[in-house]
Amino acid sequence: MKAEIISVGSSLLKGLVENKNAAFIARELTSVGINVTQAVMIDNSKEKLLETIEKAEQQADVLVFTGGLGPDDDDIVKTTLSEHLDKPLVLDDDTQNRIITYHKNSDLIMPKNNQLQALTLLDSIPLVNVTGLALGMFYQSDTHTYILLPGPTDELKPMFTEKAWPLIIEHLLNGQVVSTKLVRLFGLTMAQAQRNLGDILVSDDTTFIEIFPAGLEIEVQITARGLDADEVHQLIAKAESEIEKSVAPYIIGYGDQNLPNIVRKLLKEKELKITGAESLTGGAFLSELSSLFEAGLFFDGGMVTYDESIKKEVLGVDEEVIETHGVVSAECAFEMAEKALEAFGADLAVSLTGAAGPSSLEGEIPGTVWIGVAVKEKSTFAKKFHFGYKRNQNREYSVWSAFNLIRQVLLDEEIESIIYKEKVKKDE
Amino acid sequence: MKAEIISVGSSLLKGLVENKNAAFIARELTSVGINVTQAVMIDNSKEKLLETIEKAEQQADVLVFTGGLGPDDDDIVKTTLSEHLDKPLVLDDDTQNRIITYHKNSDLIMPKNNQLQALTLLDSIPLVNVTGLALGMFYQSDTHTYILLPGPTDELKPMFTEKAWPLIIEHLLNGQVVSTKLVRLFGLTMAQAQRNLGDILVSDDTTFIEIFPAGLEIEVQITARGLDADEVHQLIAKAESEIEKSVAPYIIGYGDQNLPNIVRKLLKEKELKITGAESLTGGAFLSELSSLFEAGLFFDGGMVTYDESIKKEVLGVDEEVIETHGVVSAECAFEMAEKALEAFGADLAVSLTGAAGPSSLEGEIPGTVWIGVAVKEKSTFAKKFHFGYKRNQNREYSVWSAFNLIRQVLLDEEIESIIYKEKVKKDE
């Protein structure tokens, strides 16, 4: 089955907004074997839209439209499609009532053509817009399927996932059972993941496995189709076990929760508080922590000790440690984490110190970073990383690596290549 | 003049990457009156590409290609275009040498078809890739212009700006003088900017004015075309003065430097050091500061005092102040800024305290934020803001508003609705 995505809007062609919708829809459709053969962005011109629809009908079975559902004169998708299919538009009363109520409550002037937003093709299935006003639509002719979605991404995504997706499965996949699972990876590049997973990424009729970058993490997406839940469950389990064989050391979790959210959940469950003392990352770790939902449950505060003087005079790192070992050292990382643990009364403390770049620091090449962890009444350790030469990239990798270390500590996982404070002391 | 953008790559149609290139190119071309009438994403299929080229030639004068210039078998743009135009490909020696050297130095295996990356059409102008390997191309037939750019955005952007842009001006705009100026705004929404600027945004043949969102800021882009530099200079000055009349209170600067970078420049010039004590923003302000180029020149460190206990016990905010006025207060903001100024030995300190949301704090609705500023040996003041109900959006607005306050302080601008510490004391 083939699909084409048609995005309508002059703002796209003037470069005012990026077309994030096409990538989102393409990923979802591809995962169930519907191949997107073309995605096109066009202006709000009726003539152009008609021409694009006619062409798309020759090449694809499913036409997905984004944008052009609003109340303005140039929101022409519904009227053009109605004309093209010779099918009248009818008013969806629920949506019309919602639109009237919305404008009443918000003191906004209701656009003259607001009815446009509440129209849907006769015999179509209207798609309710839970985060906006314009109604979407799912319509099947004898030959083609037409899915109309709104332009704003925060309206399009929930409408697609909650309203359109079940209809796609029911009508286009003959009601097969479809299920998706994400395996999350951290610590390798897309190219490495591609190599490690190799043959697993070849998809067949029943199982689709593809990898997607998700910030610094990688999502391995497994989608399975089958006649019943059992079959699908088994297909996913099989794929999962193959993935685990290939990339076990890099798996950080399952589902759509990223590393900070995984750590958040563990901290909340264990009722632990965390703090941090940051040098090269300058607050990025603390900022990420505090942005999490219910941050107050596990976070009280922390310190940014960018300059050496602040490490010593405000945080209280032993001057001798810095003089002997420098700030890019396990010893400095130990001290920073322990002093932060104490000052902020936490159960866990992270420290980040290193050479962010672009220049070297204490003879260490840019990208050399020590991350320290102090666990209250347990242990203090540090791990050395080499990231790269790009300053802001180093900062990001450092923050994510810190979250990963904390995740491993909270799960009692064995962590490779770490140096314990006690060990160093004994060796001295 | 009309242009069409053709993006080639299966990763686009599988949703692995978003097509950021189209928006970038569309913005640039639109600014000089070249209308982008369509942007299309297609697979790496030769047949499909040929069909797309033929169709585009019927509708547009300029065809801009992105992607498909790499060394793989499916990188078909150059060979397909060569076949279509019946024009042979020739090897660009400089690029070929760069490719060989690159692979030698990096120990990477050179792809078999690496030559593909160094090919260009006979009689074309090659576009050097300064951040990657694949050569771009600018070619004019009797009827059309073909611009070939690489897929990775960090290769495409510099190639477009540095190499393709001068050729576009020379060959497509008859060597007119083209100049662009950005006026940066902060503190109003896109809809407000649109309203305030109103008629100014109507473009004519010589001047193009459009607004673009740039994070929380807005860029008003003026592009003028004319026969000589003087004429263009005058056109830009005229547009600028109209813009200034309409949105003067919101102008934060000119050019591509955002608020943190504007503050960075001012701090560096004045040789001042800055610090911060953050509550609801939890390190986001400090993180932004420390991410700036040469941050060590003006930043030593700061503190995240998320919980009340940390404000009192670690930062040293007077307990009585918090008991009397609460943490969402001017008085708490004064104290936090002054204590941070002292502890971190800075010339300027910012404090951020408020109700991030989703819940209210001390009876203040989510989005109520006090930002304090302490200037060494000068004054301490605070300003109250109401942002909104979305937690992470509040944090972003708070950070940007703090940078704006600091900008105003550093420029000795008058700041509306601020409360000075002395004034409060006298009134008590």
Side-chain angles (χ1 to χ4, degrees), chain A residues 14, chain B residues 30-31 193-211 220-224 235 238-239 242-243 246:
Chain A
K14 284 181 175 177
Chain B
T30 306
S31 76
Q194 199 97 41
R195 247 193 327 272
N196 284 13
L197 290 165
D199 297 343
I200 303 174
L201 296 176
V202 178
S203 301
D204 58 32
D205 274 355
T206 53
T207 316
F208 170 90
I209 306 173
E210 186 62 270
I211 57 172
V220 187
Q221 177 178 294
I222 313 167
T223 310
L235 288 168
K238 181 167 163 275
E242 281 174 25
I243 292 165
S246 310

Side-chain angles (χ1 to χ4, degrees), chain A residues 14-15 23 26-27 38-41 48 51 55 59 282 284 286-287 290 300-302 304 306-307 310 391 395, chain B residues 13-15 23 27 38-41 48 51 55 59 282 284 286-287 290 300-302 304 306-307 310 391 395:
Chain A
K14 284 181 175 177
R27 173 172 170 172
Q38 179 164 293
V40 58
M41 297 182 239
K48 182 81 193 168
E51 186 195 314
K55 183 115 193 302
Q59 309 200 334
L286 299 171
S287 174
S290 63
D300 290 336
V304 178
Y306 199 73
D307 192 69
I310 305 295
R391 179 177 164 81
R395 287 166 44 104
Chain B
L13 294 175
K14 284 181 176 178
R27 172 174 172 173
Q38 178 164 296
V40 58
M41 298 183 238
K48 181 81 192 167
E51 185 195 314
K55 183 113 192 302
Q59 309 200 333
L286 299 170
S287 173
S290 63
D300 289 337
V304 178
Y306 198 72
D307 191 69
I310 304 295
R391 179 178 163 82
R395 287 166 44 103

Side-chain angles (χ1 to χ4, degrees), chain B residues 188-326:
Chain B
L188 76 182
T189 63
M190 279 291 280
Q192 286 168 329
Q194 199 97 41
R195 247 193 327 272
N196 284 13
L197 290 165
D199 297 343
I200 303 174
L201 296 176
V202 178
S203 301
D204 58 32
D205 274 355
T206 53
T207 316
F208 170 90
I209 306 173
E210 186 62 270
I211 57 172
F212 298 90
L216 296 183
E217 301 174 16
I218 290 172
E219 291 175 356
V220 187
Q221 177 178 294
I222 313 167
T223 310
R225 299 193 283 164
L227 294 176
D228 58 54
D230 260 8
E231 190 187 334
V232 168
H233 183 80
Q234 278 171 26
L235 288 168
I236 288 196
K238 181 167 163 275
E240 210 182 315
S241 104
E242 281 174 25
I243 292 165
E244 281 166 3
K245 265 183 241 160
S246 310
V247 289
Y250 306 103
I251 296 175
I252 51 163
Y254 300 84
D256 58 4
Q257 301 284 295
N258 68 2
L259 258 178
N261 278 292
I262 292 169
V263 166
R264 174 197 167 276
K265 192 165 162 273
L266 291 168
L267 288 169
K268 196 183 159 188
E269 274 169 19
K270 293 171 188 272
E271 298 187 8
L272 295 173
K273 292 226 168 179
I274 188 167
T275 185
E278 300 187 59
S279 185
L280 81 155
T281 48
F285 174 74
L286 299 170
S287 173
E288 192 69 43
L289 262 183
S290 63
S291 74
L292 296 166
F293 180 59
E294 299 180 321
L297 292 180
F298 50 84
F299 177 66
D300 289 337
M303 203 182 286
V304 178
T305 60
Y306 198 72
D307 191 69
E308 194 178 308
S309 64
I310 304 295
K311 291 183 186 71
K312 293 188 283 197
E313 290 155 30
V314 190
L315 185 58
V317 169
D318 189 344
E319 226 179 302
E320 232 187 271
V321 165
I322 294 183
E323 263 164 43
T324 315
H325 304 282

Side-chain angles (χ1 to χ4, degrees), chain A residues 27-38:
Chain A
R27 173 172 170 172
E28 296 297 309
L29 295 180
T30 306
S31 74
V32 287
I34 301 175
N35 290 321
V36 178
T37 52
Q38 179 164 293

